[in-house]
Amino acid sequence: MSIPVRKYDAVIVGAGGAGLRAAIQLSEAGLKTAVLSKVFPTRSHTVAAQGGVSASLGNSEEDHWHWHMYDTVKGSDWLGDQDAIEFMCRKAPEVVVELEHFGMPFDRTDEGKIYQRPFGGHMSNFGEKPVRRACAAADRTGHAMLHALYQRNVRAQTQFFVEWMALDLIRDEEGQVLGVIALEMETGEVVAFHAKATIFATGGAGRIFYSSTNAFINTGDGLGMAARAGIPLEDMEFWQFHPTGVAGAGVLITEGVRGEGGILRNDKGERFMERYAPNAKDLASRDVVSRAMVTEINEGRGCGPNKDFVTLDITHLPPETIMKRLPGIREISIQFAGIDPIKAPIPVVPTCHYQMGGIPTNYKGQVVLEDGATVAGFYAAGECACASVHGANRLGTNSLLDLLVFGKSSGDTVIEDLASMPKAHKELPAGFADRTLARLGRLESQKDGADVHETRLAMQRTMQNHCGVFRFKDKLEEGVRKILDIEKQAAQTQIKDKSKVWNTARVEALEFDNLIEVAKATMICAEARKESRGAHVRDDAPDTPEFPNGRDDKEWLKHSLWYRDGNKLSYKPVTLKPLSVETIALKTRSY
Amino acid sequence: MATRTMQFKIYRYDPDKDNAPYMQDVSVEVDDVTDRKLLDVLTKLKAQDDTLSYRRSCREGICGSDAMNINGKNGLACLTEIKDLKQPVVLRPLPGLPIIRDLIVDMTQFFKQYHSIKPYLINDTPPPERERLQSPEDREELNGLYECILCACCSTSCPSFWWNPDKFVGPAGLLNAYRFIADTRDQATNARLDDLEDPYRLFRCHSIMNCVDVCPKGLNPTKAIGKIKEMMVRRAV
């Protein structure tokens, strides 16, 4: 069976921050570009980012990209690649200023410059004291940014394919990527996008967990597609649990709240972070704060009738500050916690938030294999990619920076690479759509199969219970068995809706195919990594004099690579050498 | 767990199998502790019947996907408290736009109007090395404007937009037009006003204020439209 084929110079999958930033480069360079998105671009999950985007602009006090780099390496617990981290931190002022020129409505200082606020792990002078580095538009930075990037694309007349879901990569025998196969949701039509360059900007897969700050659409589609095409996934055991999700609802409350002076308290009203991070306190790194919160709850100092949350208190802040700098947070607290934070503290719990791992790339956005060779025609940027700038734990506001810097650099690399490629498209391999059509056919004809909703729920509960903030050896081993069991059901999902038109049941089943790949990668990598580092902390790798914080640099200073085929694991070294400065030497992490 | 049964009447239409749309009566068990918002209940309804089709994404009122007509009023399912809803809860697609399936409408016309106002900053001076300066007071002019999430609740509650969706920009588009007019960094104010000085594009707004009533973000398109009209008068004298 054949499907229609459309030819483009480049295809970008995903129209969140990274995809839109890449699209600006390609459209303004005059390349014939198609941008595919499951949702209208301004509905992408970048829209939900709140607190800010980091850049050492120094608008309120002295700052330096080198300090930003140090904080990022330390935040990553030294798992981040220092070449990529230097690249990102040096580029930060440039891409943030550009965004301002695109029309981004940043808040302003009295001098009219971009407003900057303190954030977790942002320090001056190599870890000395908190610094104002997070550039903010109130507490709606992601919304303001995503709209500004979309608007710039309207100006550049970028060609969007809205409500199209990419299903699979097209990769030929030589390993070159030649585009994607995609489904138009409105009609059910399946079409090949034949491209010389394919950029994945598909976001994260936070929906593998039961409790997540992530949108419904964050189903790891790019990761699933890459894994099915034989490309490994990197560092998938590292997931960020954001300290402050609204208890029960999971909705995000930005770290910017603590940047503006918010304090975490236990049932006794104690500012417990003073005990865990005497210097940075509430503005320690996210992994540190989340663990402190769970420890408080586990030791019986949680709040509420079930003692299962702590509170985030801003009642001491002037109401004007809250109305001006945190209006969205107030709205969310009233909507989802039934609490006005001007009057009462917000109930919060650590909630799955961000995927540090992803499709392995270099700092130019090129996808790289285990041996360092690039995959011709394939690029990735943003949360779906692992450059790796976040390592074992991401600093707040580095995600928005990541998508600006690597969205732009992947676009620039595509422009450069296409200049040296033949004018004509490389031919598509025979039967390029077979595997995808078989998958769709299986779903259509499946009888007595597994319910998508129920099976997905089983996966989410398993991830939550076996692979959370604190991890346990036996729980992880059991988790691997459970996920592999669930995978068998996932291969036999059944839908009742057979309509061609806007079939959301089909879309959810196809998304689940991607989620389950990410869940497997996560659980298997987590079980295998026998140390504690950043967001990955296990009971059998405790804090000892020999291994402070449980980190074992001799054995585990390396990136995990998971291959779908046979669930094979492999490892590659961390790049410790930056581009121009000296290596930031290994150190025990404390805040 | 305290559960209760809730009754719904939902607009259903699948062009692939239905000859005509119909209202479907369905009921669902809701848990007043965990099911707080209409979207929570829609998720349950969809688990019962996977053919029920609607858009949704962020579930926190910032992406603008799940706008629909709820008991006669446009709103976001994810921000609508179920305890406030009169039963049976009547769910329809947003009014005035072509229906694709169930609660999903074709938003082409809505976005066409948004795009028509040139929704991007126009400033032809070469960009400086650093940010363009803007005073906090000038920046404050954008509050109440830049927060629009393009959910279309406002435009699809506006009779003028129902009658002339091809000619009247509509409240969402006009709010965004004023967002750029009000931005001190934008240099195209005159051209923007010229473009809107038209019996249809702007002046079909008769200040009925349905838009203000339904905006889930508490924005006021009528006020923005008033300011545009004011600027036109001011530059005419």
Side-chain angles (χ1 to χ4, degrees):
Chain A
M1 205 182 128
S2 74
I3 59 171
V5 177
R6 297 191 188 183
K7 278 191 183 178
Y8 286 87
D9 289 325
V11 57
I12 298 173
V13 184
L20 290 179
R21 189 63 194 81
I24 291 170
Q25 291 312 97
L26 300 187
S27 292
E28 291 186 350
L31 292 179
K32 193 180 172 199
T33 308
V35 182
L36 274 57
S37 178
K38 288 197 290 189
V39 293
F40 184 78
T42 63
R43 318 224 187 280
S44 308
H45 194 54
T46 303
V47 80
Q50 297 172 353
V53 50
S54 51
S56 57
L57 294 174
N59 283 355
S60 295
E61 56 191 316
E62 191 189 355
D63 200 5
H64 195 285
W65 67 260
H66 202 180
W67 300 347
H68 185 185
M69 177 183 171
Y70 175 86
D71 294 343
T72 304
V73 172
K74 177 182 170 186
S76 81
D77 217 347
W78 275 268
L79 192 69
D81 288 326
Q82 296 196 17
D83 55 344
I85 294 175
E86 177 183 336
F87 182 79
M88 179 177 80
C89 297
R90 289 188 80 148
K91 280 270 183 198
E94 170 193 317
V95 292
V96 168
V97 166
E98 257 170 10
L99 189 65
E100 193 282 327
H101 294 160
F102 293 167
M104 168 92 172
F106 281 112
D107 284 5
R108 300 289 170 156
T109 65
D110 288 340
E111 295 163 290
K113 296 177 183 171
I114 293 170
Y115 171 77
Q116 297 186 281
R117 62 161 56 111
F119 234 80
H122 296 192
M123 314 288 265
S124 68
N125 204 17
F126 306 102
E128 218 174 76
K129 60 176 195 336
V131 69
R132 295 172 162 265
R133 187 180 291 144
C135 311
D139 53 1
R140 305 186 178 103
T141 310
H143 170 273
M145 176 187 280
L146 189 66
H147 281 252
L149 290 172
Y150 177 67
Q151 289 159 355
R152 183 72 177 193
N153 274 287
V154 173
R155 180 179 178 269
Q157 296 183 312
T158 299
Q159 190 180 358
F160 287 103
F161 289 80
V162 173
E163 293 169 341
W164 283 69
M165 179 182 179
L167 302 178
D168 275 303
L169 269 178
I170 305 171
R171 201 175 173 208
D172 70 7
E173 274 185 6
E174 289 164 357
Q176 184 166 344
V177 167
L178 301 171
V180 291
I181 296 161
L183 169 82
E184 184 180 30
M185 285 151 74
E186 185 176 339
T187 61
E189 195 185 3
V190 178
V191 175
F193 287 78
H194 187 187
K196 297 176 200 166
T198 302
I199 303 179
F200 270 11
T202 54
R207 284 274 161 177
I208 62 168
F209 286 92
Y210 180 72
S211 173
S212 170
T213 64
N214 282 204
F216 281 102
I217 56 170
N218 290 19
T219 53
D221 299 337
L223 280 74
M225 286 187 272
R228 283 193 294 276
I231 287 159
L233 302 182
E234 180 175 344
D235 291 342
M236 291 308 297
E237 62 271 47
F238 297 101
W239 284 84
Q240 178 159 81
F241 289 80
H242 194 291
T244 55
V246 173
V251 177
L252 174 69
I253 299 283
T254 176
E255 190 166 299
V257 170
R258 282 171 282 139
E260 296 289 347
I263 293 169
L264 290 164
R265 298 189 192 281
N266 60 21
D267 66 334
K268 298 182 177 60
E270 182 204 3
R271 183 181 196 179
F272 59 84
M273 278 314 298
E274 285 177 334
R275 280 188 275 119
Y276 297 87
N279 186 25
K281 301 187 181 83
D282 299 88
L283 286 178
S285 221
R286 286 181 181 171
D287 55 337
V288 174
V289 179
S290 285
R291 276 195 293 276
M293 291 167 68
V294 173
T295 304
E296 289 299 300
I297 293 167
N298 287 347
E299 291 178 359
R301 293 187 294 278
C303 307
N306 301 319
K307 294 189 157 293
D308 55 358
F309 58 83
V310 299
T311 61
L312 177 59
D313 186 5
I314 51 172
T315 54
H316 55 287
L317 297 185
E320 309 85 71
T321 306
I322 296 172
M323 304 295 274
K324 187 169 176 192
R325 300 293 181 206
L326 306 167
I329 285 314
R330 181 164 181 248
E331 210 177 296
I332 284 174
S333 303
I334 293 171
Q335 275 283 350
F336 292 97
I339 271 170
D340 183 347
I342 291 177
K343 296 177 192 141
I346 313 163
V348 289
V349 284
T351 306
C352 173
H353 182 59
Y354 189 86
Q355 161 197 306
M356 265 78 73
I359 302 166
T361 69
N362 57 26
Y363 66 87
K364 295 174 179 172
Q366 295 163 313
V367 174
V368 289
L369 297 172
E370 193 170 336
D371 59 3
T374 58
V375 180
F378 193 27
Y379 308 79
E383 191 170 343
C384 75
C386 182
S388 149
V389 284
H390 309 305
N393 169 66
R394 175 174 71 75
L395 284 195
T397 71
N398 267 353
S399 55
L400 291 188
L401 178 61
D402 170 344
L403 52 84
L404 288 178
V405 169
F406 296 105
K408 185 179 181 187
S409 79
S410 63
D412 284 339
T413 309
V414 165
I415 294 166
E416 209 180 293
D417 288 355
L418 285 194
S420 60
M421 269 168 110
K423 281 260 176 300
H425 283 67
K426 196 176 175 190
E427 214 173 303
L428 292 177
F432 65 88
D434 289 356
R435 204 183 41 189
T436 312
L437 294 174
R439 194 152 64 95
L440 289 167
R442 196 280 304 158
L443 188 60
E444 292 314 295
S445 58
Q446 181 73 49
K447 292 203 174 63
D448 305 318
D451 180 80
V452 175
H453 181 80
E454 291 300 326
T455 318
R456 189 177 50 204
L457 210 53
M459 171 197 70
Q460 291 169 331
R461 291 223 163 96
T462 304
M463 294 309 296
Q464 194 80 24
N465 295 335
H466 292 260
C467 208
V469 174
F470 284 107
R471 295 169 176 180
F472 304 89
K473 182 177 186 292
D474 52 342
K475 280 271 192 192
L476 286 166
E477 287 164 359
E478 196 191 345
V480 170
R481 286 194 297 275
K482 281 190 174 173
I483 283 292
L484 293 178
D485 241 23
I486 293 167
E487 183 196 14
K488 289 181 199 137
Q489 299 167 49
Q492 295 177 19
T493 47
Q494 181 183 347
I495 52 173
K496 293 185 199 81
D497 192 349
K498 305 290 182 190
S499 174
K500 283 193 181 58
V501 181
W502 247 102
N503 188 325
T504 47
R506 183 182 295 135
V507 167
E508 286 190 31
L510 294 167
E511 288 174 333
F512 185 41
D513 287 350
N514 298 322
L515 282 168
I516 192 71
E517 298 299 340
V518 180
K520 273 189 296 177
T522 299
M523 196 68 93
I524 289 168
C525 289
E527 192 278 324
R529 184 176 283 270
K530 308 279 191 304
E531 66 156 353
S532 297
R533 183 186 298 269
H536 175 70
V537 164
R538 14 188 322 155
D539 65 332
D540 55 346
D543 184 20
T544 62
E546 195 191 352
F547 301 110
N549 296 335
R551 195 176 87 193
D552 179 358
D553 290 323
K554 232 197 258 148
E555 273 302 309
W556 289 104
L557 185 59
K558 56 189 181 185
H559 296 294
S560 311
L561 292 172
W562 169 86
Y563 292 84
R564 179 174 183 263
D565 192 14
N567 287 314
K568 196 183 91 169
L569 283 181
S570 189
Y571 294 90
K572 68 174 185 182
V574 173
T575 306
L576 292 170
K577 198 175 156 31
L579 297 170
S580 72
V581 291
E582 297 216 338
T583 296
I584 291 169
L586 285 157
K587 225 169 107 177
T588 301
R589 213 162 141 247
S590 68
Y591 284 93
Chain B
M1 255 192 312
T3 66
R4 62 187 169 111
T5 308
M6 268 186 94
Q7 308 294 334
F8 285 78
K9 255 188 179 346
I10 306 179
Y11 181 99
R12 302 298 307 265
Y13 176 58
D14 175 3
D16 214 22
K17 67 178 178 56
D18 300 325
N19 292 324
Y22 62 98
M23 294 303 289
Q24 182 189 33
D25 293 305
V26 283
S27 63
V28 62
E29 289 298 308
V30 301
D31 176 335
D32 280 325
V33 178
T34 55
D35 303 320
R36 294 191 48 195
K37 305 291 182 183
L38 175 57
L39 184 60
D40 299 329
V41 180
L42 277 170
T43 307
K44 279 201 164 165
L45 282 164
K46 190 165 177 61
Q48 289 177 16
D49 171 9
D50 71 6
T51 67
L52 175 63
S53 308
Y54 53 90
R55 293 187 176 102
R56 86 283 180 268
S57 182
C58 76
R59 61 83 170 86
E60 60 188 63
I62 192 72
C63 79
S65 297
D66 62 352
M68 56 188 69
N69 188 270
I70 305 154
N71 280 346
K73 189 175 169 183
N74 292 351
L76 299 181
C78 62
L79 294 185
T80 301
E81 288 280 338
I82 55 164
K83 65 174 168 38
D84 302 337
L85 291 174
K86 205 177 127 239
Q87 296 186 50
V89 181
V90 181
L91 300 181
R92 292 175 177 276
L94 288 176
L97 292 175
I99 293 157
I100 299 174
R101 179 179 175 178
D102 295 348
L103 301 173
I104 296 170
V105 291
D106 180 350
M107 299 193 52
T108 309
Q109 198 63 58
F110 172 79
F111 288 123
K112 213 169 161 184
Q113 288 298 357
Y114 172 67
H115 292 148
S116 81
I117 60 103
K118 297 196 174 157
Y120 43 83
L121 194 82
I122 299 176
N123 185 325
D124 293 328
T125 56
E129 214 160 281
R130 289 294 300 249
E131 66 264 50
R132 290 194 166 98
L133 299 181
Q134 185 174 48
S135 71
E137 297 72 35
D138 286 343
R139 165 60 184 79
E140 218 149 282
E141 292 298 313
L142 307 182
N143 287 348
L145 303 171
Y146 84 94
E147 302 93 324
C148 172
I149 58 172
L150 299 175
C151 64
C153 281
C154 61
S155 293
T156 61
S157 71
C158 173
S160 295
F161 190 77
W162 297 338
W163 293 323
N164 297 105
D166 53 334
K167 293 186 194 141
F168 174 49
V169 172
L174 290 168
L175 179 95
N176 279 284
Y178 186 63
R179 177 250 172 275
F180 289 99
I181 291 170
D183 195 324
T184 50
R185 300 169 297 171
D186 189 273
Q187 297 177 323
T189 300
N190 261 320
R192 292 183 191 279
L193 292 177
D194 288 347
D195 168 63
L196 295 174
E197 200 149 28
D198 173 281
Y200 283 96
R201 283 181 67 69
L202 173 73
F203 288 99
R204 281 285 123 172
C205 169
H206 301 305
S207 308
I208 300 169
M209 295 183 69
N210 281 2
C211 53
V212 183
D213 192 36
V214 298
C215 177
K217 304 310 283 183
L219 309 180
N220 190 332
T222 308
K223 191 171 152 200
I225 293 165
K227 291 210 168 168
I228 298 174
K229 288 179 179 168
E230 215 175 276
M231 287 181 86
M232 281 178 181
V233 174
R234 236 188 294 141
R235 75 169 183 167
V237 292

